[in-house]
């Protein structure tokens, strides 16, 4: 796995986020749209992908998924899918994923985690080190270690 330094991907991801946000708001003017993941956190190394958080009311969830598919996205296979969380991945060759989340669900942790790292350069440094130490691992091993880190950060006040 290759991790990129922030100066090699963050500006592109921010521009891509702003472009997608306009398209998403056209389809879903009622949605909360946030830039999440490593590309949203200054000075964070990353695989260079972009994650976009889209929060909606429970009764809008399935309709929103269908509307977002019109932006040339499909449901990501082999990942967690519940009645409160769905990940869509881009078919536009731009390494973008949408995290569709039901308002007030446990999956709002995406924002909490992002905010905790944005507020703590020490956590960012630790997260970067963890990623670099995982560069020789496969995706499943990396995800497990990353998940442990995220859970630890979320549990800390």
């Amino acid at each position: 796995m290759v991790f990129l330094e922030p100066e090699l991907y963050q500006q592109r991801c921010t521009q891509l986020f702003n472009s997608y946000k306009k398209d998403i708001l056209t389809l879903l003017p009622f949605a909360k749209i946030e830039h999440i993941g490593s590309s949203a956190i200054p000075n964070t190394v990353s695989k260079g992908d972009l994650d976009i958080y889209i929060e909606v009311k429970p009764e809008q969830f399935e309709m929103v998924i269908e509307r977002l598919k019109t932006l040339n996205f499909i449901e990501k296979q082999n990942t967690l899918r519940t009645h409160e969380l769905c990940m869509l991945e881009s078919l536009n060759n731009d390494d973008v994923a949408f995290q569709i989340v039901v308002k007030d669900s446990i999956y709002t942790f995406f924002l909490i985690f992002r905010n905790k790292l944005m507020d703590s350069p020490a956590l960012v440094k630790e997260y970067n080190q963890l990623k670099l130490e995982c560069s020789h691992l496969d995706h499943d091993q990396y995800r497990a270690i990353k998940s442990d880190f995220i859970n630890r950060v979320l549990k800390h006040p």
Side-chain angles (χ1 to χ4, degrees):
M1 206 169 337
V2 176
F3 290 102
L4 305 174
E5 292 296 322
E7 59 274 6
L8 296 177
Y9 78 93
Q10 283 191 325
Q11 183 177 3
R12 179 190 67 82
C13 284
T14 298
Q15 292 168 342
L16 203 50
F17 169 76
N18 290 332
S19 175
Y20 270 113
K21 184 175 181 179
K22 288 177 190 170
D23 294 340
I24 296 165
L25 282 172
T26 299
L27 292 174
L28 312 169
F30 49 82
K32 177 178 182 174
I33 303 162
E34 298 273 345
H35 185 175
I36 60 169
S38 294
S39 62
I41 303 163
N43 304 312
T44 305
V45 298
S46 168
K47 294 176 288 178
D49 56 330
L50 169 64
D51 288 308
I52 299 175
Y53 175 96
I54 303 167
E55 185 180 285
V56 296
K57 294 177 182 174
E59 62 273 14
Q60 299 167 325
F61 185 69
E62 293 299 331
M63 174 271 295
V64 161
I65 292 166
E66 293 309 309
R67 281 195 191 172
L68 289 169
K69 287 178 180 178
T70 66
L71 296 176
N72 203 26
F73 279 70
I74 59 169
E75 281 193 48
K76 183 172 173 104
Q77 301 301 304
N78 303 316
T79 193
L80 182 63
R81 166 66 152 98
T82 74
H83 64 284
E84 296 181 322
L85 174 70
C86 178
M87 182 192 286
L88 299 182
E89 60 184 344
S90 174
L91 296 174
N92 300 315
N93 200 30
D94 54 11
D95 209 4
V96 175
F98 295 158
Q99 308 288 341
I100 301 98
V101 173
V102 168
K103 182 179 179 172
D104 298 323
S105 72
I106 62 168
Y107 301 105
T108 60
F109 77 83
F110 287 110
L111 297 179
I112 296 165
F113 178 73
R114 178 202 63 191
N115 294 344
K116 283 184 178 249
L117 264 68
M118 288 180 87
D119 292 341
S120 174
L123 280 177
V124 169
K125 185 176 179 179
E126 186 179 346
Y127 195 37
N128 285 344
Q129 189 62 38
L130 175 144
K131 288 180 174 194
L132 295 174
E133 289 171 0
C134 290
S135 61
H136 67 286
L137 301 177
D138 68 34
H139 285 282
D140 290 335
Q141 293 169 315
Y142 166 66
R143 273 191 223 114
I145 292 169
K146 179 177 157 182
S147 181
D148 288 344
F149 176 82
I150 291 169
N151 288 330
R152 184 171 52 80
V153 168
L154 291 173
K155 287 178 183 170
H156 193 270

